[in-house]
Amino acid sequence: MRIDLHTHSNRSDGTTSPRALVRHAREVGIDVLALTDHDTTEGWEEAAAAASQEGLTLVRGIEVSCKLEGSAVHLLAYLPDPTYEPLAEELERILDGRNARLPATVAKLRALGIEIDEDDVRRVAGDAAGIGRPHVADALVEKGVVQDRGEAFDTYLGSRGPAYVKRYAAPLEEMVRMVASAGGVSVVAHPWGRRYTHQALDEARFAALKDDGLVGIEVDHQDHDEPTREELRSIARNLDLVVTGSSDYHGEGKVDHDLGCNTTDPDELERLVELARASAKAAGRTTPEVLLP
Ligand SMILES: [Zn+2]
Ligand SMILES: [Zn+2]
């Protein structure tokens, strides 16, 4: 069984529709797929319809933009009740922050002598629920300013770049608790993908997050080299956290992240789903179903 628990559609910054994503997953032999667009559940319905047609198991998720001690941390929230008001409001707040950042980012780029306006970015963003830096990057590629998204981030849009603009992100501990209150479970995405989060997210921190309700760590991810994976795996083992592995697929939007390039062990998925059921029961919420193959 091939299980990929972290992918994006064009409802955030991926380049394929939820339906096309599910179809593509089927073609490449994925049995269980999680759709985890940034800060939105907008793609869930379309993905669920496609999944039942294709005979694929869908796990509904969200990759929530969080912060910990000033650093950006991504949290994968699986199977929360999307109607849980505090969560819906917080996602709204994050998306508003993302959209509000666009004018400031464009102004900074223009000050650097790059001819770009908000409409250039909106055009490439298409159906996305929130316009983010990847869309600005796509507009810069389209204009021939940079070769690809990576170069756009390295040169302009990254947190140390000259066109970087701060935006709202949810406090990590609070979001972990909120996901549990929504009847879902949370897993820290690519925790050591960047050096600064390596320091903030050590074993003691993971232990504290577990007390808040965290259930897992995304260990197998392209941003982690082999020694990093081993170290994270041992932390997960020590703390009895679920280990996941995923592609973080973005369609054409990210190279070297093909569907299924990292996968999750079926036993780990089973644990994750059981924990989600327990969470829903404890919270008294009605959450999306998962029919395991
Ligand atoms: Zn991420
Ligand atoms: Zn992602």
Side-chain angles (χ1 to χ4, degrees):
M1 202 196 320
R2 293 186 79 211
I3 301 159
D4 190 336
L5 293 181
H6 179 171
T7 68
H8 298 272
S9 77
N10 63 2
R11 295 309 187 274
S12 65
D13 55 344
T15 54
T16 48
S17 69
R19 174 171 300 279
L21 169 67
V22 167
R23 217 175 276 148
H24 180 46
R26 209 43 181 146
E27 278 162 17
V28 299
I30 303 291
D31 304 289
V32 179
L33 179 82
L35 175 65
T36 54
D37 278 319
H38 294 283
D39 312 307
T40 184
T41 61
E42 260 191 32
W44 283 12
E45 216 182 292
E46 186 181 316
S52 70
Q53 273 170 15
E54 301 284 331
L56 177 144
T57 295
L58 180 75
V59 177
R60 293 165 180 79
I62 313 160
E63 183 172 20
V64 185
S65 308
C66 298
K67 60 170 183 283
L68 176 70
E69 292 173 359
S71 292
V73 176
H74 290 170
L75 186 71
L76 293 161
Y78 294 109
L79 304 166
D81 176 354
T83 68
Y84 179 63
E85 212 43 55
L87 177 63
E89 278 167 17
E90 191 68 355
L91 293 176
E92 194 72 33
R93 201 169 162 201
I94 297 169
L95 282 176
D96 284 351
R98 211 182 254 263
N99 291 331
R101 175 154 75 162
L102 178 62
T105 305
V106 166
K108 284 195 169 189
L109 287 167
R110 292 181 67 90
L112 293 166
I114 297 164
E115 281 201 29
I116 184 170
D117 60 39
E118 287 177 47
D119 283 339
D120 295 326
V121 182
R122 287 209 184 87
R123 207 175 41 245
V124 297
D127 287 334
I131 295 179
R133 285 181 294 167
H135 303 115
V136 179
D138 289 347
L140 290 172
V141 173
E142 204 189 67
K143 291 192 160 291
V145 177
V146 291
Q147 291 285 324
D148 52 36
R149 279 186 183 180
E151 190 188 341
F153 273 79
D154 291 344
T155 317
Y156 299 108
L157 305 170
S159 61
R160 270 151 225 224
Y164 179 72
V165 178
K166 264 198 146 145
R167 70 175 168 99
Y168 179 73
L172 181 65
E173 296 96 332
E174 247 172 67
M175 184 46 70
V176 167
R177 288 194 292 268
M178 201 177 276
V179 171
S181 301
V185 285
S186 52
V187 171
V188 178
H190 46 74
W192 291 355
R194 295 184 187 89
R195 218 174 317 126
Y196 49 78
T197 51
H198 197 141
Q199 286 152 10
L201 282 161
D202 58 6
E203 182 159 346
R205 177 77 66 174
F206 277 117
L209 288 169
K210 189 186 174 186
D211 291 340
D212 288 322
L214 185 79
V215 308
I217 302 178
E218 185 180 59
V219 172
D220 292 301
H221 184 282
Q222 295 299 81
D223 290 353
H224 295 154
D225 60 16
E226 211 36 65
T228 301
R229 294 180 189 206
E230 279 321 306
E231 217 179 311
L232 282 169
R233 217 182 295 284
S234 91
I235 291 177
R237 204 179 300 123
N238 295 344
L239 299 175
D240 195 28
L241 290 166
V242 172
V243 167
T244 68
S246 309
S247 64
D248 204 356
Y249 178 76
H250 281 71
E252 308 287 303
K254 216 171 190 176
V255 291
D256 196 27
H257 286 263
D258 291 343
L259 278 178
C261 63
N262 298 296
T263 54
T264 298
D265 188 275
D267 292 340
E268 297 296 301
L269 172 68
E270 205 171 302
R271 265 181 80 199
L272 189 74
V273 171
E274 265 167 32
L275 287 163
R277 284 193 186 123
S279 172
K281 203 169 165 203
R285 309 297 312 182
T286 307
T287 56
E289 264 188 81
V290 179
L291 301 165
L292 289 179

